[in-house]
Amino acid sequence: MNATPDILCIGSVLWDVIGRSETTMRQGSDMPGRITQLPGGVALNIGMALARFGLRPALLSAVGRDTDGDALIAACQVRGLTTEFIYRSDDLPTDKYMAVEGSNGLIAAIADAHSLEAAGDKILRPLTDGSLPSPYAGAIALDGNLTVDLLGQMAQSPLLAAADLRVAPASPGKALRLSPFIQAKRGTLYVNLEEAGLLCQTSFANSSEAASALLARGTIRAVVTDGSNPATVGAATGLITQQPPQVHVTRVTGAGDTFMAAHIAAELNGHDPAKALSQALEAAALYVSGETTI
C-alpha cells in the first residue's frame, strides 16, 4: 500500500440488490419498478462515501473467493477503496442484502451477512500481523453486522484503545450489539431514533431526548437521527440539534451510511461539532434526493 489509510471501515462488504417502485407500497404490494445490484454493506457504503469526501478508506471485511467476490473487490477498487486487508474465504460465499423500497420508503429488507459473521476475528488479522499499525490510533468506522462476541472483544481490545471509534448498528435488529461500547465507554455511536430506543429499552419523542438518555446510560458520544426530523449530537459538552434540509425522497437505503461518513469526514477535516452535523445532514439530504451517486 502506498499510503496509510485515513480511516478503516470494518464490517459488511456485500452486494446490494434493491427493488424500487415510484409508487406507494405496502406489505403484499406487486408493483412495477427497477431492480439494481450495486456494491453495498454498511462498511462499504461508509467507505464509498468517505472516498467521495476525499479520504482514503481501507476495508476490513470478509468476501468470498467466488465470482461475486471478485467482481465486488474490483468494484471497490474502482471506487478508490483499499481492499488488500479484506479476508478472502475459499469456502464462504459473498454476502448479499436485498431490499424493496416504495415512494413511501423502505418496505422490507433482508441482510445475509452470514459469511462475515462466520469469518469472525479473521477480518481483524491486519491489526495483529503487522499489516497495520498496532495499537491502531486512527479513525475506525465499525458496523454492527459483526457478531456480539466480536463486537464485545473490540470494545475492550487494547489494539483499539487509542482509536477514534465510530460505531453504527447496521439495522434496528442489531442495535443491541452496540451495548458493549456503552459499557466500555468507548466510541461515538451513530443510531436512529428506533435504535436509540432499543438500546435504552424505551421509546423517545425526538433525537435530543434520545441522545440525552444514551449519555445517561454511559455513552461517551451519541449521534441520533430521526429521518426528516431534527438530528442531535450529544456529548459531555452538551447537545447540538439541527433540522435536516427538506427534500423529495427518492431512495433511503444507504442514507444513514452517507450521513455517518459525511459527519466523520467533516470532523477529520477539523470542523467544529455544529458545522460537522450541518454538513452531514446536507450530504444525506442530497443522497436521498438522488442528487449524489454511490
Side-chain angles (χ1 to χ4, degrees), residues 176-228:
L176 293 178
R177 297 189 185 191
L178 269 58
S179 296
F181 296 93
I182 297 177
Q183 295 161 4
K185 298 186 183 300
R186 295 285 314 284
T188 300
L189 304 190
Y190 290 79
V191 295
N192 61 30
L193 200 66
E194 180 183 359
E195 292 159 351
L198 290 168
L199 282 167
C200 295
Q201 300 178 335
T202 186
S203 58
F204 299 110
N206 54 60
S207 64
S208 59
E209 184 181 300
S212 295
L214 284 167
L215 293 174
R217 289 183 73 88
T219 306
I220 294 299
R221 193 166 72 134
V223 182
V224 184
T225 57
D226 184 19
S228 60

mmCIF file of all heavy atoms in Angstrom, residues 176-228:
data_model
loop_
_atom_site.group_PDB
_atom_site.id
_atom_site.type_symbol
_atom_site.label_atom_id
_atom_site.label_comp_id
_atom_site.label_asym_id
_atom_site.label_seq_id
_atom_site.Cartn_x
_atom_site.Cartn_y
_atom_site.Cartn_z
ATOM 1 N N LEU A 176 -28.819 -3.725 19.674
ATOM 2 C CA LEU A 176 -28.315 -4.142 20.987
ATOM 3 C C LEU A 176 -26.871 -4.615 20.924
ATOM 4 O O LEU A 176 -26.205 -4.729 21.967
ATOM 5 C CB LEU A 176 -29.217 -5.235 21.570
ATOM 6 C CG LEU A 176 -30.636 -4.773 21.942
ATOM 7 C CD1 LEU A 176 -31.454 -5.942 22.465
ATOM 8 C CD2 LEU A 176 -30.590 -3.652 22.973
ATOM 9 N N ARG A 177 -26.357 -4.896 19.727
ATOM 10 C CA ARG A 177 -24.962 -5.301 19.599
ATOM 11 C C ARG A 177 -24.007 -4.165 19.950
ATOM 12 O O ARG A 177 -22.814 -4.398 20.147
ATOM 13 C CB ARG A 177 -24.679 -5.792 18.171
ATOM 14 C CG ARG A 177 -25.470 -7.033 17.772
ATOM 15 C CD ARG A 177 -24.995 -7.593 16.458
ATOM 16 N NE ARG A 177 -25.815 -8.712 16.020
ATOM 17 C CZ ARG A 177 -25.507 -9.529 15.010
ATOM 18 N NH1 ARG A 177 -24.388 -9.332 14.331
ATOM 19 N NH2 ARG A 177 -26.304 -10.518 14.666
ATOM 20 N N LEU A 178 -24.532 -2.940 20.047
ATOM 21 C CA LEU A 178 -23.690 -1.801 20.405
ATOM 22 C C LEU A 178 -23.521 -1.649 21.915
ATOM 23 O O LEU A 178 -22.705 -0.842 22.374
ATOM 24 C CB LEU A 178 -24.265 -0.501 19.836
ATOM 25 C CG LEU A 178 -23.782 -0.092 18.437
ATOM 26 C CD1 LEU A 178 -24.076 -1.168 17.414
ATOM 27 C CD2 LEU A 178 -24.414 1.226 18.011
ATOM 28 N N SER A 179 -24.264 -2.441 22.686
ATOM 29 C CA SER A 179 -24.222 -2.311 24.143
ATOM 30 C C SER A 179 -22.811 -2.402 24.728
ATOM 31 O O SER A 179 -22.494 -1.668 25.676
ATOM 32 C CB SER A 179 -25.129 -3.364 24.788
ATOM 33 O OG SER A 179 -26.476 -3.152 24.428
ATOM 34 N N PRO A 180 -21.919 -3.296 24.206
ATOM 35 C CA PRO A 180 -20.570 -3.357 24.787
ATOM 36 C C PRO A 180 -19.811 -2.032 24.733
ATOM 37 O O PRO A 180 -18.986 -1.755 25.611
ATOM 38 C CB PRO A 180 -19.871 -4.426 23.925
ATOM 39 C CG PRO A 180 -20.970 -5.291 23.438
ATOM 40 C CD PRO A 180 -22.120 -4.358 23.205
ATOM 41 N N PHE A 181 -20.103 -1.203 23.727
ATOM 42 C CA PHE A 181 -19.393 0.080 23.613
ATOM 43 C C PHE A 181 -19.912 1.085 24.640
ATOM 44 O O PHE A 181 -19.169 1.957 25.087
ATOM 45 C CB PHE A 181 -19.515 0.619 22.191
ATOM 46 C CG PHE A 181 -18.853 -0.261 21.180
ATOM 47 C CD1 PHE A 181 -19.560 -1.245 20.516
ATOM 48 C CD2 PHE A 181 -17.490 -0.136 20.924
ATOM 49 C CE1 PHE A 181 -18.936 -2.089 19.611
ATOM 50 C CE2 PHE A 181 -16.861 -0.974 20.018
ATOM 51 C CZ PHE A 181 -17.585 -1.954 19.362
ATOM 52 N N ILE A 182 -21.190 0.942 25.016
ATOM 53 C CA ILE A 182 -21.725 1.777 26.097
ATOM 54 C C ILE A 182 -21.100 1.355 27.423
ATOM 55 O O ILE A 182 -20.655 2.188 28.212
ATOM 56 C CB ILE A 182 -23.263 1.661 26.155
ATOM 57 C CG1 ILE A 182 -23.889 2.185 24.855
ATOM 58 C CG2 ILE A 182 -23.807 2.423 27.355
ATOM 59 C CD1 ILE A 182 -25.395 2.057 24.792
ATOM 60 N N GLN A 183 -21.047 0.032 27.632
ATOM 61 C CA GLN A 183 -20.487 -0.483 28.886
ATOM 62 C C GLN A 183 -19.003 -0.151 29.013
ATOM 63 O O GLN A 183 -18.511 0.150 30.104
ATOM 64 C CB GLN A 183 -20.712 -2.001 28.951
ATOM 65 C CG GLN A 183 -22.171 -2.397 29.023
ATOM 66 C CD GLN A 183 -22.420 -3.836 28.629
ATOM 67 O OE1 GLN A 183 -21.497 -4.598 28.370
ATOM 68 N NE2 GLN A 183 -23.695 -4.217 28.564
ATOM 69 N N ALA A 184 -18.271 -0.200 27.887
ATOM 70 C CA ALA A 184 -16.835 0.082 27.906
ATOM 71 C C ALA A 184 -16.529 1.576 27.837
ATOM 72 O O ALA A 184 -15.371 1.976 27.940
ATOM 73 C CB ALA A 184 -16.149 -0.635 26.741
ATOM 74 N N LYS A 185 -17.592 2.389 27.652
ATOM 75 C CA LYS A 185 -17.434 3.843 27.497
ATOM 76 C C LYS A 185 -16.427 4.152 26.387
ATOM 77 O O LYS A 185 -15.462 4.893 26.570
ATOM 78 C CB LYS A 185 -17.010 4.491 28.823
ATOM 79 C CG LYS A 185 -18.027 4.310 29.937
ATOM 80 C CD LYS A 185 -17.645 5.083 31.187
ATOM 81 C CE LYS A 185 -18.639 4.838 32.311
ATOM 82 N NZ LYS A 185 -20.006 5.250 31.971
ATOM 83 N N ARG A 186 -16.717 3.556 25.229
ATOM 84 C CA ARG A 186 -15.831 3.708 24.079
ATOM 85 C C ARG A 186 -16.628 4.173 22.865
ATOM 86 O O ARG A 186 -17.727 3.698 22.611
ATOM 87 C CB ARG A 186 -15.170 2.358 23.720
ATOM 88 C CG ARG A 186 -14.228 1.792 24.759
ATOM 89 C CD ARG A 186 -12.906 2.531 24.789
ATOM 90 N NE ARG A 186 -12.350 2.749 23.468
ATOM 91 C CZ ARG A 186 -11.744 1.803 22.737
ATOM 92 N NH1 ARG A 186 -11.615 0.580 23.200
ATOM 93 N NH2 ARG A 186 -11.258 2.097 21.548
ATOM 94 N N GLY A 187 -16.068 5.078 22.100
ATOM 95 C CA GLY A 187 -16.565 5.384 20.773
ATOM 96 C C GLY A 187 -17.754 6.325 20.692
ATOM 97 O O GLY A 187 -18.402 6.663 21.680
ATOM 98 N N THR A 188 -18.014 6.740 19.451
ATOM 99 C CA THR A 188 -19.189 7.545 19.104
ATOM 100 C C THR A 188 -20.221 6.620 18.476
ATOM 101 O O THR A 188 -19.914 5.917 17.515
ATOM 102 C CB THR A 188 -18.821 8.656 18.103
ATOM 103 O OG1 THR A 188 -17.842 9.511 18.678
ATOM 104 C CG2 THR A 188 -20.043 9.472 17.710
ATOM 105 N N LEU A 189 -21.437 6.594 19.012
ATOM 106 C CA LEU A 189 -22.496 5.750 18.481
ATOM 107 C C LEU A 189 -23.376 6.544 17.515
ATOM 108 O O LEU A 189 -23.832 7.644 17.846
ATOM 109 C CB LEU A 189 -23.365 5.186 19.605
ATOM 110 C CG LEU A 189 -22.673 4.396 20.721
ATOM 111 C CD1 LEU A 189 -23.722 3.719 21.605
ATOM 112 C CD2 LEU A 189 -21.706 3.375 20.153
ATOM 113 N N TYR A 190 -23.607 5.997 16.331
ATOM 114 C CA TYR A 190 -24.498 6.592 15.334
ATOM 115 C C TYR A 190 -25.750 5.739 15.254
ATOM 116 O O TYR A 190 -25.701 4.601 14.776
ATOM 117 C CB TYR A 190 -23.820 6.644 13.965
ATOM 118 C CG TYR A 190 -22.683 7.639 13.865
ATOM 119 C CD1 TYR A 190 -21.435 7.357 14.376
ATOM 120 C CD2 TYR A 190 -22.874 8.876 13.243
ATOM 121 C CE1 TYR A 190 -20.383 8.266 14.290
ATOM 122 C CE2 TYR A 190 -21.837 9.794 13.144
ATOM 123 C CZ TYR A 190 -20.596 9.483 13.670
ATOM 124 O OH TYR A 190 -19.574 10.394 13.573
ATOM 125 N N VAL A 191 -26.883 6.262 15.720
ATOM 126 C CA VAL A 191 -28.122 5.494 15.763
ATOM 127 C C VAL A 191 -29.294 6.360 15.307
ATOM 128 O O VAL A 191 -29.225 7.586 15.357
ATOM 129 C CB VAL A 191 -28.412 4.960 17.184
ATOM 130 C CG1 VAL A 191 -27.348 3.956 17.621
ATOM 131 C CG2 VAL A 191 -28.495 6.101 18.198
ATOM 132 N N ASN A 192 -30.369 5.686 14.868
ATOM 133 C CA ASN A 192 -31.600 6.429 14.611
ATOM 134 C C ASN A 192 -32.482 6.355 15.864
ATOM 135 O O ASN A 192 -32.117 5.733 16.865
ATOM 136 C CB ASN A 192 -32.319 5.926 13.356
ATOM 137 C CG ASN A 192 -32.739 4.469 13.450
ATOM 138 O OD1 ASN A 192 -33.025 3.952 14.547
ATOM 139 N ND2 ASN A 192 -32.775 3.788 12.316
ATOM 140 N N LEU A 193 -33.630 6.984 15.807
ATOM 141 C CA LEU A 193 -34.479 7.091 16.997
ATOM 142 C C LEU A 193 -34.918 5.714 17.494
ATOM 143 O O LEU A 193 -34.927 5.463 18.711
ATOM 144 C CB LEU A 193 -35.699 7.966 16.675
ATOM 145 C CG LEU A 193 -36.413 8.570 17.878
ATOM 146 C CD1 LEU A 193 -35.520 9.582 18.583
ATOM 147 C CD2 LEU A 193 -37.717 9.232 17.456
ATOM 148 N N GLU A 194 -35.263 4.824 16.569
ATOM 149 C CA GLU A 194 -35.693 3.480 16.965
ATOM 150 C C GLU A 194 -34.555 2.712 17.628
ATOM 151 O O GLU A 194 -34.744 2.049 18.654
ATOM 152 C CB GLU A 194 -36.194 2.707 15.740
ATOM 153 C CG GLU A 194 -36.657 1.300 16.062
ATOM 154 C CD GLU A 194 -37.088 0.511 14.839
ATOM 155 O OE1 GLU A 194 -37.051 1.057 13.723
ATOM 156 O OE2 GLU A 194 -37.461 -0.675 15.001
ATOM 157 N N GLU A 195 -33.364 2.800 17.049
ATOM 158 C CA GLU A 195 -32.208 2.091 17.612
ATOM 159 C C GLU A 195 -31.839 2.633 18.996
ATOM 160 O O GLU A 195 -31.487 1.860 19.902
ATOM 161 C CB GLU A 195 -31.031 2.212 16.644
ATOM 162 C CG GLU A 195 -31.259 1.445 15.351
ATOM 163 C CD GLU A 195 -30.404 1.917 14.189
ATOM 164 O OE1 GLU A 195 -29.740 2.966 14.320
ATOM 165 O OE2 GLU A 195 -30.405 1.241 13.148
ATOM 166 N N ALA A 196 -31.940 3.946 19.165
ATOM 167 C CA ALA A 196 -31.683 4.538 20.477
ATOM 168 C C ALA A 196 -32.675 4.008 21.500
ATOM 169 O O ALA A 196 -32.310 3.699 22.650
ATOM 170 C CB ALA A 196 -31.775 6.063 20.391
ATOM 171 N N GLY A 197 -33.926 3.867 21.093
ATOM 172 C CA GLY A 197 -34.943 3.335 21.986
ATOM 173 C C GLY A 197 -34.665 1.901 22.398
ATOM 174 O O GLY A 197 -34.852 1.521 23.559
ATOM 175 N N LEU A 198 -34.191 1.100 21.448
ATOM 176 C CA LEU A 198 -33.860 -0.286 21.764
ATOM 177 C C LEU A 198 -32.698 -0.369 22.742
ATOM 178 O O LEU A 198 -32.701 -1.177 23.677
ATOM 179 C CB LEU A 198 -33.529 -1.041 20.471
ATOM 180 C CG LEU A 198 -34.709 -1.304 19.533
ATOM 181 C CD1 LEU A 198 -34.213 -1.775 18.174
ATOM 182 C CD2 LEU A 198 -35.659 -2.325 20.139
ATOM 183 N N LEU A 199 -31.687 0.467 22.544
ATOM 184 C CA LEU A 199 -30.534 0.464 23.442
ATOM 185 C C LEU A 199 -30.907 0.923 24.848
ATOM 186 O O LEU A 199 -30.309 0.476 25.839
ATOM 187 C CB LEU A 199 -29.431 1.366 22.880
ATOM 188 C CG LEU A 199 -28.602 0.772 21.747
ATOM 189 C CD1 LEU A 199 -27.771 1.851 21.066
ATOM 190 C CD2 LEU A 199 -27.697 -0.336 22.262
ATOM 191 N N CYS A 200 -31.903 1.810 24.941
ATOM 192 C CA CYS A 200 -32.323 2.334 26.242
ATOM 193 C C CYS A 200 -33.578 1.647 26.777
ATOM 194 O O CYS A 200 -34.085 2.009 27.845
ATOM 195 C CB CYS A 200 -32.560 3.842 26.149
ATOM 196 S SG CYS A 200 -31.069 4.797 25.797
ATOM 197 N N GLN A 201 -34.110 0.702 26.014
ATOM 198 C CA GLN A 201 -35.288 -0.083 26.414
ATOM 199 C C GLN A 201 -36.500 0.798 26.691
ATOM 200 O O GLN A 201 -37.237 0.604 27.669
ATOM 201 C CB GLN A 201 -34.955 -0.957 27.631
ATOM 202 C CG GLN A 201 -33.824 -1.941 27.346
ATOM 203 C CD GLN A 201 -33.449 -2.775 28.558
ATOM 204 O OE1 GLN A 201 -33.662 -2.372 29.689
ATOM 205 N NE2 GLN A 201 -32.892 -3.949 28.319
ATOM 206 N N THR A 202 -36.678 1.781 25.806
ATOM 207 C CA THR A 202 -37.832 2.669 25.915
ATOM 208 C C THR A 202 -38.067 3.288 24.546
ATOM 209 O O THR A 202 -37.470 2.869 23.559
ATOM 210 C CB THR A 202 -37.605 3.751 26.987
ATOM 211 O OG1 THR A 202 -38.812 4.507 27.151
ATOM 212 C CG2 THR A 202 -36.474 4.691 26.621
ATOM 213 N N SER A 203 -38.932 4.278 24.450
ATOM 214 C CA SER A 203 -39.125 4.995 23.192
ATOM 215 C C SER A 203 -38.975 6.486 23.452
ATOM 216 O O SER A 203 -39.160 6.956 24.585
ATOM 217 C CB SER A 203 -40.515 4.700 22.599
ATOM 218 O OG SER A 203 -41.533 5.056 23.517
ATOM 219 N N PHE A 204 -38.623 7.208 22.378
ATOM 220 C CA PHE A 204 -38.333 8.635 22.525
ATOM 221 C C PHE A 204 -39.168 9.446 21.540
ATOM 222 O O PHE A 204 -39.483 8.994 20.440
ATOM 223 C CB PHE A 204 -36.852 8.911 22.288
ATOM 224 C CG PHE A 204 -35.942 8.206 23.252
ATOM 225 C CD1 PHE A 204 -35.131 7.161 22.827
ATOM 226 C CD2 PHE A 204 -35.912 8.575 24.586
ATOM 227 C CE1 PHE A 204 -34.295 6.506 23.712
ATOM 228 C CE2 PHE A 204 -35.087 7.930 25.479
ATOM 229 C CZ PHE A 204 -34.268 6.893 25.051
ATOM 230 N N ALA A 205 -39.485 10.672 21.948
ATOM 231 C CA ALA A 205 -40.269 11.566 21.094
ATOM 232 C C ALA A 205 -39.403 12.271 20.075
ATOM 233 O O ALA A 205 -39.880 12.661 19.004
ATOM 234 C CB ALA A 205 -41.003 12.594 21.954
ATOM 235 N N ASN A 206 -38.103 12.438 20.389
ATOM 236 C CA ASN A 206 -37.232 13.182 19.489
ATOM 237 C C ASN A 206 -35.780 12.802 19.731
ATOM 238 O O ASN A 206 -35.452 12.096 20.697
ATOM 239 C CB ASN A 206 -37.437 14.691 19.656
ATOM 240 C CG ASN A 206 -37.284 15.133 21.108
ATOM 241 O OD1 ASN A 206 -36.221 14.955 21.708
ATOM 242 N ND2 ASN A 206 -38.348 15.700 21.673
ATOM 243 N N SER A 207 -34.899 13.284 18.849
ATOM 244 C CA SER A 207 -33.490 12.883 18.895
ATOM 245 C C SER A 207 -32.749 13.452 20.106
ATOM 246 O O SER A 207 -31.842 12.805 20.636
ATOM 247 C CB SER A 207 -32.788 13.307 17.602
ATOM 248 O OG SER A 207 -32.776 14.722 17.467
ATOM 249 N N SER A 208 -33.105 14.646 20.552
ATOM 250 C CA SER A 208 -32.408 15.229 21.697
ATOM 251 C C SER A 208 -32.714 14.445 22.969
ATOM 252 O O SER A 208 -31.826 14.207 23.802
ATOM 253 C CB SER A 208 -32.773 16.705 21.865
ATOM 254 O OG SER A 208 -34.155 16.860 22.051
ATOM 255 N N GLU A 209 -33.955 14.022 23.105
ATOM 256 C CA GLU A 209 -34.342 13.179 24.248
ATOM 257 C C GLU A 209 -33.571 11.862 24.217
ATOM 258 O O GLU A 209 -33.078 11.386 25.242
ATOM 259 C CB GLU A 209 -35.850 12.933 24.181
ATOM 260 C CG GLU A 209 -36.438 12.155 25.336
ATOM 261 C CD GLU A 209 -37.927 11.944 25.155
ATOM 262 O OE1 GLU A 209 -38.663 12.953 25.062
ATOM 263 O OE2 GLU A 209 -38.361 10.781 25.096
ATOM 264 N N ALA A 210 -33.437 11.281 23.010
ATOM 265 C CA ALA A 210 -32.726 10.014 22.864
ATOM 266 C C ALA A 210 -31.237 10.167 23.165
ATOM 267 O O ALA A 210 -30.636 9.328 23.846
ATOM 268 C CB ALA A 210 -32.921 9.479 21.446
ATOM 269 N N ALA A 211 -30.641 11.232 22.655
ATOM 270 C CA ALA A 211 -29.216 11.452 22.887
ATOM 271 C C ALA A 211 -28.934 11.647 24.377
ATOM 272 O O ALA A 211 -27.949 11.119 24.918
ATOM 273 C CB ALA A 211 -28.740 12.670 22.089
ATOM 274 N N SER A 212 -29.794 12.390 25.057
ATOM 275 C CA SER A 212 -29.622 12.605 26.496
ATOM 276 C C SER A 212 -29.680 11.293 27.257
ATOM 277 O O SER A 212 -28.895 11.046 28.182
ATOM 278 C CB SER A 212 -30.701 13.561 27.022
ATOM 279 O OG SER A 212 -30.559 14.843 26.467
ATOM 280 N N ALA A 213 -30.607 10.420 26.870
ATOM 281 C CA ALA A 213 -30.755 9.132 27.548
ATOM 282 C C ALA A 213 -29.554 8.233 27.302
ATOM 283 O O ALA A 213 -29.103 7.525 28.209
ATOM 284 C CB ALA A 213 -32.038 8.451 27.079
ATOM 285 N N LEU A 214 -29.025 8.245 26.088
ATOM 286 C CA LEU A 214 -27.842 7.438 25.793
ATOM 287 C C LEU A 214 -26.640 7.908 26.615
ATOM 288 O O LEU A 214 -25.868 7.093 27.128
ATOM 289 C CB LEU A 214 -27.526 7.500 24.297
ATOM 290 C CG LEU A 214 -28.429 6.659 23.392
ATOM 291 C CD1 LEU A 214 -28.224 7.047 21.933
ATOM 292 C CD2 LEU A 214 -28.165 5.173 23.592
ATOM 293 N N LEU A 215 -26.492 9.202 26.745
ATOM 294 C CA LEU A 215 -25.393 9.740 27.554
ATOM 295 C C LEU A 215 -25.564 9.326 29.019
ATOM 296 O O LEU A 215 -24.595 8.967 29.699
ATOM 297 C CB LEU A 215 -25.339 11.260 27.434
ATOM 298 C CG LEU A 215 -24.960 11.825 26.061
ATOM 299 C CD1 LEU A 215 -25.095 13.341 26.056
ATOM 300 C CD2 LEU A 215 -23.546 11.422 25.664
ATOM 301 N N ALA A 216 -26.801 9.350 29.495
ATOM 302 C CA ALA A 216 -27.075 8.975 30.880
ATOM 303 C C ALA A 216 -26.751 7.502 31.135
ATOM 304 O O ALA A 216 -26.407 7.123 32.255
ATOM 305 C CB ALA A 216 -28.538 9.260 31.220
ATOM 306 N N ARG A 217 -26.845 6.682 30.081
ATOM 307 C CA ARG A 217 -26.547 5.251 30.225
ATOM 308 C C ARG A 217 -25.047 4.959 30.143
ATOM 309 O O ARG A 217 -24.632 3.818 30.314
ATOM 310 C CB ARG A 217 -27.286 4.442 29.153
ATOM 311 C CG ARG A 217 -28.778 4.369 29.376
ATOM 312 C CD ARG A 217 -29.447 3.506 28.325
ATOM 313 N NE ARG A 217 -29.187 2.091 28.531
ATOM 314 C CZ ARG A 217 -29.924 1.288 29.290
ATOM 315 N NH1 ARG A 217 -30.969 1.778 29.939
ATOM 316 N NH2 ARG A 217 -29.644 -0.001 29.400
ATOM 317 N N GLY A 218 -24.246 5.966 29.821
ATOM 318 C CA GLY A 218 -22.804 5.764 29.789
ATOM 319 C C GLY A 218 -22.146 5.968 28.448
ATOM 320 O O GLY A 218 -20.925 5.866 28.327
ATOM 321 N N THR A 219 -22.938 6.263 27.399
ATOM 322 C CA THR A 219 -22.368 6.525 26.085
ATOM 323 C C THR A 219 -21.484 7.776 26.134
ATOM 324 O O THR A 219 -21.885 8.798 26.690
ATOM 325 C CB THR A 219 -23.478 6.727 25.040
ATOM 326 O OG1 THR A 219 -24.354 5.606 25.065
ATOM 327 C CG2 THR A 219 -22.903 6.887 23.645
ATOM 328 N N ILE A 220 -20.298 7.685 25.565
ATOM 329 C CA ILE A 220 -19.393 8.829 25.550
ATOM 330 C C ILE A 220 -19.907 9.922 24.626
ATOM 331 O O ILE A 220 -19.893 11.108 24.970
ATOM 332 C CB ILE A 220 -17.976 8.396 25.113
ATOM 333 C CG1 ILE A 220 -17.368 7.471 26.157
ATOM 334 C CG2 ILE A 220 -17.072 9.604 24.891
ATOM 335 C CD1 ILE A 220 -17.216 8.099 27.522
ATOM 336 N N ARG A 221 -20.370 9.523 23.442
ATOM 337 C CA ARG A 221 -20.938 10.475 22.492
ATOM 338 C C ARG A 221 -21.947 9.758 21.627
ATOM 339 O O ARG A 221 -21.713 8.620 21.199
ATOM 340 C CB ARG A 221 -19.846 11.116 21.629
ATOM 341 C CG ARG A 221 -20.363 12.344 20.863
ATOM 342 C CD ARG A 221 -19.217 13.175 20.297
ATOM 343 N NE ARG A 221 -18.588 12.511 19.177
ATOM 344 C CZ ARG A 221 -18.277 13.116 18.029
ATOM 345 N NH1 ARG A 221 -18.524 14.401 17.862
ATOM 346 N NH2 ARG A 221 -17.675 12.456 17.079
ATOM 347 N N ALA A 222 -23.065 10.394 21.352
ATOM 348 C CA ALA A 222 -24.127 9.790 20.548
ATOM 349 C C ALA A 222 -24.570 10.752 19.454
ATOM 350 O O ALA A 222 -24.725 11.949 19.695
ATOM 351 C CB ALA A 222 -25.321 9.424 21.427
ATOM 352 N N VAL A 223 -24.760 10.203 18.271
ATOM 353 C CA VAL A 223 -25.307 10.967 17.153
ATOM 354 C C VAL A 223 -26.618 10.284 16.779
ATOM 355 O O VAL A 223 -26.626 9.134 16.330
ATOM 356 C CB VAL A 223 -24.343 10.989 15.955
ATOM 357 C CG1 VAL A 223 -24.923 11.847 14.834
ATOM 358 C CG2 VAL A 223 -22.973 11.502 16.375
ATOM 359 N N VAL A 224 -27.730 10.981 16.982
ATOM 360 C CA VAL A 224 -29.057 10.380 16.801
ATOM 361 C C VAL A 224 -29.792 11.086 15.665
ATOM 362 O O VAL A 224 -29.972 12.307 15.691
ATOM 363 C CB VAL A 224 -29.900 10.471 18.085
ATOM 364 C CG1 VAL A 224 -31.236 9.747 17.888
ATOM 365 C CG2 VAL A 224 -29.144 9.867 19.272
ATOM 366 N N THR A 225 -30.232 10.306 14.673
ATOM 367 C CA THR A 225 -31.012 10.853 13.563
ATOM 368 C C THR A 225 -32.468 10.389 13.676
ATOM 369 O O THR A 225 -32.770 9.402 14.346
ATOM 370 C CB THR A 225 -30.438 10.400 12.214
ATOM 371 O OG1 THR A 225 -30.401 8.959 12.180
ATOM 372 C CG2 THR A 225 -29.029 10.946 12.015
ATOM 373 N N ASP A 226 -33.338 11.107 12.984
ATOM 374 C CA ASP A 226 -34.767 10.779 13.019
ATOM 375 C C ASP A 226 -35.410 11.127 11.692
ATOM 376 O O ASP A 226 -36.347 11.922 11.620
ATOM 377 C CB ASP A 226 -35.439 11.534 14.178
ATOM 378 C CG ASP A 226 -36.909 11.171 14.346
ATOM 379 O OD1 ASP A 226 -37.327 10.110 13.842
ATOM 380 O OD2 ASP A 226 -37.640 11.960 14.992
ATOM 381 N N GLY A 227 -34.858 10.552 10.599
ATOM 382 C CA GLY A 227 -35.409 10.803 9.272
ATOM 383 C C GLY A 227 -35.365 12.279 8.923
ATOM 384 O O GLY A 227 -34.318 12.927 9.000
ATOM 385 N N SER A 228 -36.524 12.828 8.562
ATOM 386 C CA SER A 228 -36.594 14.239 8.184
ATOM 387 C C SER A 228 -36.767 15.161 9.385
ATOM 388 O O SER A 228 -36.829 16.377 9.238
ATOM 389 C CB SER A 228 -37.751 14.458 7.205
ATOM 390 O OG SER A 228 -38.985 14.090 7.812
#
